Amino acid sequence: MFRTDKMNSIESSERTVVRVAAAGSEADPPEAVKRTDARVVPVGSTGVTALEPLVAVTRGGRTAFHARCSVDRLEGVVAAAEEADDVTAGDPDAVVDHDPDATRLPAVDLPGLSAGRRDVLGACGWRRPTSADDHEAAGGFADHDAADVFDAGADLRGRGWGDACHDDPVGESWATARDADGDAAVVVNAHGSPADALLLASAPLEVLDGATTLADAVGATEVVVYASSDDARAVETAREAVEAHPDPVVPVEVVTGPPEYRAGEPTMALEAIEGNHRLEARLRPPGPERVGLDGRPTLVHTPRTLAHLAVGLRGDDGDEGGDTRLVTVRGDVETPATVELPETASLSAAVDAVDVDGTLKAACVGGRFGGLTADLGVAAGPDALADAGLGTEGVVEVLSEGRCLVEFVGRRTRYAAEENCGRCVPCREGSTQLANLLRDVYDGEYDPEGVAELVGVMERSSICEFGVNAGRPARTATTEFALEFEAHADGQCPAGNCFDAREAPEVTTST
Amino acid sequence: MSSDRSEVDVPPLTEGIAPGTATDPDVGSDEAATVTVDGTDVTVPAGSTLLDAVDAVETDGYVPALCHYGRQDIGPRSECRTCMVETESDGVVPACSFPAEDGAVVDTDAGEAAEARDVNLDLVLSDHNLRCTTCGKNGRCELQDASIDQGVEEPRYGVLDDRDQYEPLDDSSSFIQIDRNKCILCNRCVEACNDVQVEGVLRMEGTGNDTRIGFQNGAETMEDSTCVSCGHCVTVCPTGSLVEKGIENATTIPIPGFNQKNSIGKTYENTDSTGSSGTVGRSDNQMTPQKRDQRTLESEEAPPESDGPDVVDPASEVWDDERRDWP
Ligand code: SF4
Ligand code: SF4
Ligand code: SF4
Ligand code: FES
């Protein structure tokens, strides 16, 4: 057997390829492994960190997976496979047969990785995050007609609150930006969403491909990737990917903003990129697609939206067809996970991908200001979620049996009161008064109509989505879990948390 | 990167002015438009908002439009949301910052819009020290007028009545008194100071319920700010938050010992009058207005190095609510 790197993309027909998927730093493989013929390649996280480091040993069309495989174990696994000339040696946790040229992580029967599809997440845990060769081998960096791009934009809906087209088809704003005066810009807003941070860290070229393709189609002159300074790895990987991009049509730069939640709001993202020391939302209309970064027409999309564009354009979105959604499950779970579900699949499929701490009582669906529900039978698509009064942020926060929902909602509302940008009355004063209404419950005054009236006004008159959504936890909880609020008004906490906590105000840390 | 950006397109005069507010787009209409407000057709010129049309007719519902100023290019800040109206095409919108488009049909009486105006005015009052009897603006206060016209009797959320929550009165300047407990954060003073006077003294600072007007040089009191006492901010302030010295008690009920200062309880006095320094009050002989450049973002530095698995740790939050008590 001879060693050659004639192809720089990962290729396993002639020698074994060992992928090590992890979110953390790439430890150097042990010397003993390096001396074998196997080629060890670090790849990004799959999204299911509970399995990591996940080692995938591939030869031709067969891959053996070893979950939570330490560097020490790696040596044994590789040695066994090489010795037996059989990837399935070394007692793997799962073995999968697939297309020998597979460019996506094949479906594998491991907890978390068997859920849903892997279209947009295909590169995560399979291709090297910053390898242009791997991305090209998967059909990336193709040229696309502007007309095709606009066709794709007609059906594509913006993902997440950081997207200026949250839940809306993006095409119209693309046409506006293309036709507006001034040099357009594309902003990739990766701030604050776990799925977006995952894409930037594990599949940044997918995101950049989408962004530069869009920039080309609308005639933009610049792409700015914006992320939280807290997502160090995502930022670093994005910077490397920009370097690795063989032929970006426009200059791409990576900029970080402060880690506060509000800094992910699309117009606050623009303020941060422009260098303002204090962030507050801008008025609209006109939206950023007409007047955005430095006054130029600007398209603000999340990595999720842009990766969906890139994958959709090359027709790589699976055999089943239909749109998918990235869903991150966190909260009272052993280890958080991000999976990809068809829009028609129910959220419970995502929750099945994790180990819940205890039993599930409810979930906060739709991010920081998601809606509370005990029914996870609702489909992952935005319309079904909106019909159920839930949020579409792509995050399901699991709340286990011991949780008091009145407390949860109270804390979330107080968070809104302290973390909003301070600009508009319905959000700034409204969230403070909403927290007061929720505090009054503990004094026996529960006013569900007052809560509904206030939340309605916050939703309909706040400047940005922060305030529009800030009352959602309270609105959904007071309708779906009214009994729990009534019990508190009677001095009882069904979960047994609140009234003790009140007498003994001790610092509790439960995360 | 970002720091370079902040140099771009900033006119030299305003370079270094950091008001802490967002750069809003121009919200007026592109061209002249005819708008129907409560059944009456109104034609407004290019650059108009729906409020221009609303103001031109006798409306069915009262539209306080409290934070709107509409002169000297100040605003729209569009923060009070007491100007919400219903439109046929776009639902409930803020009239003061929504472009007047030809053919728009506005209903001021629609339930959801009227409720929003009503609740938002009560929300403004909830954070307002309603001690009108000791206020220098009593009788010429836009919040008072709006509340009377709106027929507010008992604001839903009460008023700011807890003395422990009061911010100290800033009486340190010889010309202007600041009572932040009466501030509605309309930003008029900040714009007057920065955009009209180009003095770069006032700014918006803080977040959430700690949002307040402050000073760009970081001073805690007016006396230590770079104020040149031009007085423009006072003339635009709708409430008793910024009042000219000398008339701060003009409308106080004449009972001895009953005045604006003791309505608050805590006051920043002029350091001269408290005898702590031999200098004349700073506001009299402002020498070197030191304008601070705040247009820097600490995040410009490279992200902190970290070797732990930091990416897929969605539980990480800047703000840890769990560590604090509730209720
Ligand atoms: S909704 Fe909240 S975060 Fe958004 S502009 Fe208003 S105060 Fe700021
Ligand atoms: S009086 Fe002072 S704070 Fe007010 S506008 Fe003039 S310079 Fe600015
Ligand atoms: S001090 Fe007056 S003008 Fe300035 S923000 Fe407050 S209310 Fe508005
Ligand atoms: S007048 Fe429109 S928001 Fe204040």
Side-chain angles (χ1 to χ4, degrees), chain A residues 396-413:
Chain A
V396 175
E397 189 173 352
V398 171
L399 304 172
S400 65
E401 205 47 66
R403 286 268 192 170
C404 169
L405 300 182
V406 177
E407 179 192 3
F408 178 83
V409 168
R411 286 177 181 277
R412 259 320 129 80
T413 308

Side-chain angles (χ1 to χ4, degrees), chain A residues 64-360:
Chain A
F65 290 88
H66 304 260
R68 285 174 297 276
C69 183
S70 63
V71 173
D72 300 345
R73 245 183 83 205
L74 178 65
E75 199 178 318
V77 163
V78 175
E82 288 291 276
E83 203 170 301
D85 202 12
D86 176 4
V87 295
T88 63
D91 195 17
D93 296 297
V95 177
V96 174
D97 288 319
H98 53 82
D99 176 353
D101 300 321
T103 52
R104 292 187 283 184
L105 182 76
V108 48
D109 193 14
L110 285 173
L113 288 179
S114 54
R117 303 220 307 254
R118 292 193 82 83
D119 301 347
V120 170
L121 289 183
C124 300
W126 192 253
R127 309 205 287 262
R128 288 167 296 178
T130 58
S131 162
D133 296 315
D134 287 6
H135 185 63
E136 196 158 8
F141 300 131
D143 286 331
H144 297 285
D145 274 357
D148 294 341
V149 177
F150 273 83
D151 272 353
D155 306 323
L156 180 64
R157 296 166 77 172
R159 262 72 172 172
W161 88 299
D163 197 295
C165 302
H166 187 188
D167 290 345
D168 293 333
V170 293
E172 206 177 307
S173 70
W174 293 359
T176 304
R178 180 194 55 198
D179 300 340
D181 291 338
D183 293 337
V186 172
V187 168
V188 182
N189 182 7
H191 194 291
S193 153
D196 288 330
L198 171 67
L199 285 175
L200 268 202
S202 285
L205 288 167
E206 203 80 272
V207 177
L208 291 181
D209 199 354
T212 50
T213 300
L214 174 60
D216 197 30
V218 300
T221 57
E222 185 186 21
V223 170
V224 180
V225 180
Y226 168 76
S228 162
S229 58
D230 262 8
D231 282 330
R233 190 174 175 79
V235 170
E236 191 188 316
T237 324
R239 289 206 164 112
E240 282 169 26
V242 170
E243 293 299 311
H245 196 303
D247 181 27
V249 283
V250 295
V252 182
E253 68 177 330
V254 180
V255 175
T256 59
E260 281 80 13
Y261 173 76
R262 66 178 168 280
E265 198 276 334
T267 64
M268 290 196 232
L270 299 179
E271 288 286 324
I273 296 168
E274 287 179 14
N276 201 339
H277 71 282
R278 179 174 176 273
L279 301 186
E280 55 172 42
R282 292 178 180 177
L283 298 177
R284 67 218 89 154
E289 70 280 3
R290 275 181 63 197
V291 185
L293 195 59
D294 300 317
R296 299 145 59 196
T298 305
L299 298 172
V300 186
H301 292 303
T302 57
R304 280 169 284 172
T305 308
L306 294 164
H308 275 282
L309 173 67
V311 170
L313 273 174
R314 57 173 192 261
D316 200 13
D317 38 5
D319 318 317
E320 296 107 306
D323 264 341
T324 60
R325 290 272 153 178
L326 299 193
V327 180
T328 302
V329 187
R330 62 200 220 180
D332 298 332
V333 300
E334 209 80 358
T335 314
T338 299
V339 297
E340 182 172 355
L341 296 181
E343 289 193 341
T344 48
S346 81
L347 293 177
S348 51
V351 176
D352 288 345
V354 299
D355 280 331
V356 174
D357 289 333
T359 38
L360 181 141

Side-chain angles (χ1 to χ4, degrees), chain B residues 67 79 128 137 177-180 182-192 202 204 212-213 232-243:
Chain B
C67 71
E79 60 95 24
H128 188 83
K137 284 269 181 75
Q177 186 186 69
I178 309 180
D179 180 357
R180 290 188 176 82
K182 295 193 160 94
C183 177
I184 64 165
L185 297 173
C186 68
N187 202 49
R188 290 184 198 176
C189 57
V190 176
E191 286 174 64
L202 295 175
M204 203 51 85
R212 70 204 282 266
I213 56 159
H232 201 145
C233 52
V234 176
T235 64
V236 298
C237 182
T239 68
S241 186
L242 291 171
V243 177

